[in-house]
Amino acid sequence: MLAALRRPLAHVLRLAAALALAGCAAPDETEPGPAPEPTEVAFPATFSWGAATAGFQIETGLADTDWGVWAATPGKIQNGDLPDAGPDAFAHVAEDVAALLAAGLDGYRFSIERARVYPTRAAFDADAPDPAGLAAYDGLLAALDAGGIRPMVTLHHFVWPRYMSDPALAASPQGWERDDAPAVFGAWCRRMAARYGDRVDLWVTINEPNVEAMIGYVAGYFPPGVSDPDRLADVLRRQVSAHAACYDAIHDDDATDADGDGASALVSVASHNRLYEPADPTSAADLAAVAHSRNFWNLWLLDAVVRGDVDLDFDDVVDVTADPGLVGRADYIGLNYYGTSRINAAALKLPYVGVVPAQFDLPNERPKNDLGWDIYPPGFGVVLDEVARYGLPVYITENGIADALDVNRSRFTAEHLFEVGKAIARGIDVRGYYHWSIIDNFEWASGFCPRFGLFQVDFTDPARPRSPTSAVPMLAELATSGRLTKSAIAALPPYQSKPSPCAGF
Ligand code: FCB
């Protein structure tokens, strides 16, 4: 079905802009009015307090992946950093579980890397997993279980084995574009559900499909590193089909109830949603660009996998309604929130659809993280209200701050959790919060410069020691008490403005 439409995307994007300017854009749903600011918020006793990572960002030995090839290519990563010089998580499992517990957390989101489990295509085709690869994830799950920490497993977090995506061959179909991608991904999910379904009930199929597609296929900072809006559109349409195949595979396994826990798997995507704002609120062009960006970035994917409603050509008009192959393929909304994008339609550096990576950082007075991203907690409330339309539970699958000097992390975390608490009080069923990240790690094209860890890692010391940031006791206290007051936030150090040392997207 999704392969049906092949009009050049640049054409439909221009059309979308024209329609939006003419007032013909899809009608916006009414946002709730502002509620009075509470002095305190509370979290349910069942709330999951967690932290998140991804395999490539914390493991070693993944050179035979698209990202391994990319990272080894001169000029692709800030300072030429290589992931093998990172936190080496499998050598530090006990420390990292202890770190989660010290931060008061009872949830850990991580990814299982296909290239570790099936290092070659022959091994994948023969379903002959690498014993050491499986043992690594078995050991991690056992350590989490011993610590009373509930796992959330991501099955695709940006990275492909090289036999599925090779930046050296970027002109030909890669990753999601390959004809065998749905079958390969579906089989991968089925096998992981069969192996780990007894220990894992929370699953993320694909992390941030929009980010992977946009940065890999338009902005060009991620592999395969091309700039072609038509390939971007193809990738996005294929990702939702692949997600549905993965969702069905996990639920097929869960329904057998081989582990006797009832059919309890919760499966979704992690969607990276942003608050979009016009650079000039009086500019019709900026407002139209904001409306389109919001549809494209925040709602397109969720409309497809929750409602089966697909805007095939990205013109902000749904072309397929309640597609039976897609509808109902999300048990919760996985929400990654980092901040805002301010849109100046007259200064777009990329095709219209590409406003996001180009315009994170238009000048404004807000405090910034070390990548220059705006710190704006109220935007979190807006995107939470926005996804409430789907009527599903919400897990915050990522939220965090790059802050090498550890001056802003406590306030950032507390203020964002206050917005989560307010959303719960408004009736949004937020079930958990996973901070990005538990430890400093390899931040994709920005290498080791951005420090997102609740625990800092000393990459100059071969032992890679972990040390807690100031947010750790704050978060532990909050997770234990389940209460957060405005006065506690007021007592935290104010934001410090500092230059952004890291190259952003
Ligand atoms: C998200 C990614 C995650 C990490 C954070 C900072 O977009 O999912 O891997 O890079 O940003």
Side-chain angles (χ1 to χ4, degrees), residues 203-228:
W203 299 89
V204 174
T205 57
I206 307 174
N207 179 70
E208 297 186 345
N210 48 5
V211 172
E212 181 185 355
M214 173 67 82
I215 303 184
Y217 288 88
V218 175
Y221 304 143
F222 285 8
V226 297
S227 189
D228 182 339

Side-chain angles (χ1 to χ4, degrees), residues 69-111:
V69 173
W70 190 253
T73 307
K76 299 300 186 195
I77 310 295
Q78 185 173 358
N79 300 325
D81 289 339
L82 290 169
D84 279 0
D88 197 2
F90 283 128
H92 298 268
V93 169
E95 283 158 83
D96 292 343
V97 169
L100 290 162
L101 294 172
L105 306 179
D106 59 11
Y108 182 53
R109 175 179 172 225
F110 64 96
S111 71

Side-chain angles (χ1 to χ4, degrees), residues 106-147:
D106 59 11
Y108 182 53
R109 175 179 172 225
F110 64 96
S111 71
I112 302 181
E113 289 303 319
R114 263 164 302 176
R116 183 169 303 287
V117 176
Y118 295 108
T120 65
R121 182 66 196 247
F124 184 86
D125 288 344
D127 191 9
D130 181 61
L134 288 177
Y137 295 111
D138 289 346
L140 172 60
L141 282 162
L144 293 171
D145 187 51

